[in-house]
Structure formats: C-alpha cells, structure tokens
Amino acid sequence: MNDNNNPLSIQESDELATMKMQLKSLQAELDKQTTLREDVFRRLLKKRTNSFKNRELISIFFVALVAFGLPPYLYLGMHMSLAFTLFTGLFFTIGLIWELVIWRRFKIGNMMSLDLITTAKNMQRYRKLNKVWLNQIGTPFIIVWLTWYILELIQTLNLPDDGHLRMIIILIFIGCSLVGAIVGGLIGYFSFYKPQMKLAQEMIEQIKDIESFDEEAE
C-alpha cells in the first residue's frame, strides 16, 4: 500500500509542518527579544561609558591642574624649599602621565568601538591598576608628603619665642593639615575613585550578562 494515501501519514506530515512553523516563529521571536535586549544593553552601556569617560577626563584635568599649579604656589607663594617643591611636582607629573597612559592604553575615549570582551578586560585591568596606584603608590606618597609639608610649614612660620605658645601654634597647624588631608582624601575617594571603580565593575557585570566572559580573579 502506498504510504502517501495513508491518512495517518498525511496527519503526521501536517503536524510536523505545523511544528516546524511554530519552531520557526518561536525562533524569530527569540531573535527579536535578543536583539531588543542587546539594544537596551548597549544604550545602557553607552550611557555608563560616557559617564566613565567624563569622570576620567575630570580626573586628568584635576591632576594636571595640581601638577602645574601647586609647585609654583608652594615655592613662590608659601616660600617652601626647592627640594619639596620638586618632589611635589615630580609626583603629580608622574600621576598625570599615569592617567594619560591609562586613557590611551585602555582606549577610554573610544570604548564603544571596541568589542565587549575587550572592554570588559580593559575595565578589569583598569580596576587592578588603580588599586595598585592607590595602595602601593598614592597612600605612601601622601604620608611622606604630608609629613614633609608640616615640617616645611613650621619652618616658614614666624613663630613666637614663647615655648608654650609656639607649641600650641605648631599643634594647631599640624591638626589643620591632618584634617585638610583627611577631608581632601575622602572627597577624592568618594567623588572620583570609588564611583569610577563602581562604574567599571558595573560595565563588567553587564557585559558578563550578555557575553560568555569569565572574570579574572583579582
């Protein structure tokens, strides 16, 4: 008997065709949802990328301002030693070079042109390098610089001969310097460092959600 005349075979064929159409429709719907999800993701990533880039530009501007503005003020305005002035200028110049190297190496100004995996890995390295800078370079420098600054400040003051009054004035200036350093450090940490590190981690997490990407151990 010819199977083409078998009603059961015709029914199975129709059901198979229907299933194929349903699968095709489902696949098209899934592709559409994936495309929409990627579009939403990329818009969100672009927004955070722009925020990240703008903050990095502000950081570069601030470091450049300090590198070129603070040393002349210390030497000419506060009459501090040339050695201290050069030490200050050298550190902030190195900091400026560091910021510019990171900007160029990780293509921060053009992140959206990179593939997502490269962007995520760049953000990982950015976070690690900034932690190294803060913990191993920046913090030790601030301790040395602040100690030297206080000594320089004391030497430039016209202190009275009275021993008790002299000590009180010195302690006041030391206290004010420490408070200023702590407040400035907290402002820098919570206004620039922490938000940048958070943005970088959020970008990594977003990319992990849409790409197969294993985050390296920090």
Side-chain angles (χ1 to χ4, degrees):
M1 180 182 294
N2 192 338
D3 289 340
N4 290 334
N5 295 325
N6 190 329
L8 184 59
S9 297
I10 295 174
Q11 182 179 0
E12 290 176 346
S13 179
D14 291 341
E15 289 178 351
L16 182 60
T18 301
M19 290 178 61
K20 287 181 177 180
M21 290 179 62
Q22 290 175 344
L23 287 173
K24 186 176 181 180
S25 176
L26 179 60
Q27 185 62 49
E29 185 65 25
L30 289 174
D31 291 342
K32 181 180 179 181
Q33 290 180 3
T34 300
T35 301
L36 289 174
R37 181 168 176 258
E38 289 181 356
D39 288 343
V40 171
F41 164 79
R42 288 186 179 277
R43 284 197 296 270
L44 181 59
L45 182 62
K46 183 177 180 180
K47 182 178 179 181
R48 287 186 170 163
T49 296
N50 289 337
S51 177
F52 182 88
K53 180 172 64 176
N54 292 337
R55 283 181 174 274
E56 193 65 20
L57 282 172
I58 293 172
S59 178
I60 291 173
F61 173 78
F62 175 77
V63 175
L65 187 64
V66 174
F68 296 118
L70 183 59
Y73 173 73
L74 292 175
Y75 187 69
L76 300 175
M78 300 188 69
H79 307 291
M80 294 190 172
S81 69
L82 181 61
F84 177 70
T85 301
L86 292 175
F87 174 73
T88 303
L90 178 62
F91 175 79
F92 283 103
T93 299
I94 293 173
L96 178 60
I97 294 172
W98 174 280
E99 292 282 354
L100 293 174
V101 168
I102 285 180
W103 177 275
R104 181 174 180 181
R105 179 180 177 184
F106 298 147
K107 297 180 175 60
I108 293 176
N110 198 28
M111 282 189 292
M112 290 305 295
S113 66
L114 304 175
D115 64 90
L116 297 179
I117 298 298
T118 299
T119 299
K121 289 183 177 180
N122 281 351
M123 290 299 96
Q124 279 184 337
R125 298 186 186 106
Y126 172 90
R127 284 172 52 82
K128 291 178 182 179
L129 286 176
N130 274 279
K131 286 180 180 180
V132 169
W133 177 267
L134 176 67
N135 298 328
Q136 301 180 22
I137 302 175
T139 300
F141 165 80
I142 288 299
I143 294 173
V144 174
W145 185 88
L146 186 59
T147 303
W148 195 350
Y149 170 79
I150 291 172
L151 294 175
E152 290 277 338
L153 187 62
I154 291 172
Q155 291 178 3
T156 59
L157 294 174
N158 290 321
L159 297 174
D161 294 331
D162 185 288
H164 292 291
L165 183 58
R166 182 186 182 93
M167 183 57 63
I168 290 173
I169 294 175
I170 290 175
L171 291 175
I172 289 174
F173 273 99
I174 291 175
C176 291
S177 299
L178 290 175
V179 170
I182 292 172
V183 171
L186 290 174
I187 291 174
Y189 181 83
F190 288 104
S191 298
F192 292 98
Y193 178 82
K194 190 172 182 179
Q196 281 297 81
M197 299 291 275
K198 182 180 179 181
L199 274 171
Q201 184 59 37
E202 287 175 350
M203 289 164 66
I204 293 171
E205 294 296 332
Q206 287 175 353
I207 292 171
K208 285 172 65 179
D209 286 343
I210 200 168
E211 292 281 354
S212 177
F213 173 68
D214 295 325
E215 187 170 2
E216 299 172 2
E218 295 189 2

